[in-house]
Amino acid sequence: MNINFELTPKDLLGKCNNLWTYSSHKIKSMHAGLQGKKGSPVVTVNGVYEPRSWTDWTQGFQYGSELFQFDATGDSFFLNIAIDNIKNQMTSHVSHFGVHDHGFNNLSTYGNLLRLLNEGKVDKNDWLKNYCQLALKLSASVQAQRWTHLPDGGFIYSFNGPHSLFVDTIRTIRILVVGRMLGHESSSENDVHINLLERACLHGLATAKYSIFYGEGRDEYDEWGRTAHEAIFNTNDGNFRSPSTQQGYSGYSTWTRGLSWAMLGFAEQLEFLQSVGQLAELEDIGGKDLIMETYLKAAKATCDFYIKNTAKDGIPYWDTGAPGLSNLNDWQNENSQPFNKYEPVDSSAAAIGAQGLLRLGNYLKDIDKENSKRYISAGLTVANTLFDKPFLSSDTGHQGLLLHTIYHRPNGWDHIPEGSKIPNGEACMWGDYHARELAYYIQGMATESYYYTFYKDII
């Protein structure tokens, strides 16, 4: 990536304002088109979001986007539809024992709505506040039950089963942190109490150990900051067996959206731990200082890998080992090419990763000024590219906001337009949500009036 060190958050305010203008039309169109239909919107096909019943991890991004649109513009239309949708559609997500995605679905909706209530941006409503608090507590407890014990800790296992640790889940453990902040404690068999914050931190430590590589000779493909989408364990004895992937090219290459989840997830956990005291409840698992040291190493490694293994303009291809990249000569030193003939880019990974770079940079401001500047400038470089053509869609006939995203390349789940050999030109629900979240975050940085975090104003 060619980092633009001259960019400031204020330089992006005009592009952020454009984003909210385009976003308004797209949310209204999607809301009208999906009414009365069952299932969650996942990706667009020819510019239209269609609900799919086989995946349930994206519903919260739809309604969370409505809340961000209200927060950014003050237009109560989006608040009203968000509240109605959350009440009518999100309860099943709170009680969903079969997924590792609670932090995506429920924190994007109940969490953001509770924040708006506590900030006074939504009229005082004790029932609605209690409703959100209860949903978050229960969601945290349900998520915590998906637990695989390891000799040195444990992790929240993926929908593949108890043997499977997904790198994605490093961002969804936010729901456990919020549950603990709200004073909730989960219970298991024989009334064994589960400390939600401890479990979140154990999951983070397992992810840092098994899903992130540090160039320390772990295998022949070990490189500083490389990530594995999935880590496989022997559940009989808890031993790690191998890296793997579901949506990437190989367990020994890096699926870039998984990389971005790690970048953002570790940076957010660092911010949270920095904001609280020593937390005696974490002493049994090494203590806060050791946890933060581990998280910082993982955050730096993944952010460094992103910077090194991304196109010149800051947009990654969907996997760093994708075989077609060999046909794109010197792709790391050229701007990304979403309309090439060989391998698709993934702008959704860029939207997530940009926020990770910015948060790590802000975390390091008083600790490491040189790297702080580097990460913040890199994040702004990515956002500056994303919030412009050909990635940000101004087409009111297209329901997607952020174009050229990828869901599942190996399974062929992404639409390939006529005349093209690769997917391009379409959007996904998580990409649109994270573009909005990124714009909201940058606007707060630019005005120095508000620093958005997942835990701010939750209690």
Side-chain angles (χ1 to χ4, degrees), residues 107-126:
L107 206 57
S108 301
T109 49
Y110 297 104
N112 271 323
L113 182 53
L114 180 59
R115 173 180 63 83
L116 293 171
L117 284 159
N118 286 335
E119 291 172 354
K121 295 176 180 176
V122 176
D123 290 341
K124 183 178 179 181
N125 184 324
D126 289 339

Side-chain angles (χ1 to χ4, degrees), residues 26 29 43-50 52 393 395-400 403 413-420 423-428:
K26 295 170 186 299
S29 174
V43 295
T44 61
V45 176
N46 293 320
V48 177
Y49 273 110
E50 296 178 355
R52 301 189 181 186
S393 172
D395 180 2
T396 56
H398 198 300
Q399 291 180 346
L403 303 181
W413 286 353
D414 299 279
H415 179 67
I416 299 176
E418 186 176 352
S420 177
N424 58 58
E426 302 294 348
C428 63

Side-chain angles (χ1 to χ4, degrees), residues 154-332:
F155 60 87
I156 295 168
Y157 58 86
S158 83
F159 52 50
N160 280 342
H163 65 286
S164 170
L165 165 63
F166 271 13
V167 71
D168 320 23
T169 314
I170 188 61
R171 198 178 191 221
T172 77
I173 61 170
R174 297 173 301 155
I175 196 71
L176 275 69
V177 175
V178 167
R180 181 58 177 158
M181 289 175 66
L182 292 171
H184 190 57
E185 194 171 65
S186 186
S187 296
S188 190
E189 301 289 343
N190 297 305
D191 291 330
V192 173
H193 293 293
I194 298 170
N195 184 294
L196 296 172
L197 178 58
E198 178 184 272
R199 190 153 282 194
C201 289
L202 284 171
H203 178 92
L205 292 172
T207 303
K209 182 176 182 179
Y210 298 108
S211 301
I212 315 299
F213 291 74
Y214 302 101
E216 297 170 350
R218 181 170 148 186
D219 60 37
E220 288 298 320
Y221 301 95
D222 192 346
E223 181 180 353
W224 173 257
R226 189 179 80 74
T227 60
H229 180 192
E230 186 177 27
I232 302 294
F233 294 82
N234 181 329
T235 55
N236 290 324
D237 59 15
N239 281 324
F240 170 76
R241 298 305 304 154
S242 66
S244 184
T245 188
Q246 296 293 299
Q247 292 167 247
Y249 177 68
S250 162
Y252 296 95
S253 64
T254 296
W255 174 56
T256 53
R257 178 149 49 88
L259 172 71
S260 294
W261 290 132
M263 294 163 64
L264 180 51
F266 281 113
E268 286 179 313
Q269 292 301 315
L270 283 168
E271 288 181 321
F272 167 72
L273 289 171
Q274 186 183 50
S275 73
V276 295
Q278 273 303 315
L279 299 172
E281 61 193 291
L282 299 181
E283 290 303 314
D284 288 343
I285 59 172
K288 174 185 167 183
D289 292 344
L290 175 63
I291 295 168
M292 293 185 72
E293 179 183 338
T294 303
Y295 286 3
L296 182 57
K297 181 180 179 181
K300 283 184 173 180
T302 51
C303 286
D304 289 346
F305 187 90
Y306 184 98
I307 291 170
K308 181 181 178 182
N309 293 277
T310 299
K312 180 180 177 181
D313 57 4
I315 309 300
Y317 288 82
W318 73 279
D319 192 293
T320 61
L325 289 178
S326 62
N327 297 301
L328 298 174
N329 294 328
D330 206 23
W331 61 268
Q332 288 161 292

Side-chain angles (χ1 to χ4, degrees), residues 361-413:
N362 279 309
Y363 170 80
L364 290 172
K365 272 187 174 179
D366 298 325
I367 304 171
D368 183 351
K369 293 187 183 299
E370 182 177 351
N371 272 318
S372 170
K373 174 65 175 175
R374 176 170 172 260
Y375 293 130
I376 289 175
S377 295
L380 293 174
T381 299
V382 177
N384 192 46
T385 302
L386 280 178
F387 294 168
D388 210 335
K389 295 179 180 179
F391 297 102
L392 190 67
S393 172
S394 60
D395 180 2
T396 56
H398 198 300
Q399 291 180 346
L401 181 64
L402 190 66
L403 303 181
H404 311 304
T405 65
I406 289 295
Y407 183 14
H408 203 313
R409 180 63 174 142
N411 277 2
W413 286 353

